[in-house]
Amino acid sequence: MTDLMEALFTYAQEHSVAPLLAEEGAYRSSICCAERQEEQLRAALDEQTSARLDALLREQDLARWIEERAAFRAGFRMALELARS
C-alpha cells in the first residue's frame, strides 16, 4: 500500500470500523459465543495442544488482517475509479 493508503487504512481501523461493526446486530453475539467456545476448548486442552491452538489463532489473525488490507485496497481502487467516471 502507498503511504496515503496506509494512513487511511489505519485511520479507518481506529475510527470507523468499530461503529460499523456495532451496526451489525449479530457481530457482538458472535464474538461472545466464539469467546465462550474458546474458553471451553482451552479448558479441555493440555499445555502442548493449547500452544498449538495459540499458533493457529495467530496465523488466522494474520490472515484476517491481510484480508482486511486487501479489502480496503479494493474499496480504495473502486472509489478512485468511480471518482474518475
Side-chain angles (χ1 to χ4, degrees):
M1 279 200 279
T2 66
D3 288 343
L4 173 60
M5 288 174 68
E6 188 70 41
L8 291 172
F9 176 77
T10 300
Y11 180 86
Q13 289 290 84
E14 293 174 356
H15 301 283
S16 299
V17 173
L20 292 171
L21 289 174
E23 293 176 8
E24 298 291 331
Y27 178 74
R28 188 72 212 141
S29 63
S30 176
I31 292 296
C32 289
C33 182
E35 288 172 352
R36 276 193 311 275
Q37 290 182 44
E38 182 180 346
E39 288 173 11
Q40 292 169 353
L41 178 60
R42 285 187 183 283
L45 299 178
D46 61 32
E47 189 175 317
Q48 181 181 10
T49 309
S50 182
R52 290 179 65 193
L53 176 61
D54 287 337
L56 167 66
L57 294 175
R58 279 192 306 273
E59 287 301 316
Q60 287 180 327
D61 286 343
L62 176 60
R64 191 173 307 108
W65 183 76
I66 293 168
E67 290 166 359
E68 288 172 0
R69 288 172 55 92
F72 179 82
R73 287 188 353 246
F76 196 86
R77 287 178 185 168
M78 288 172 37
L80 287 175
E81 287 298 317
L82 289 171
R84 291 181 189 148
S85 299

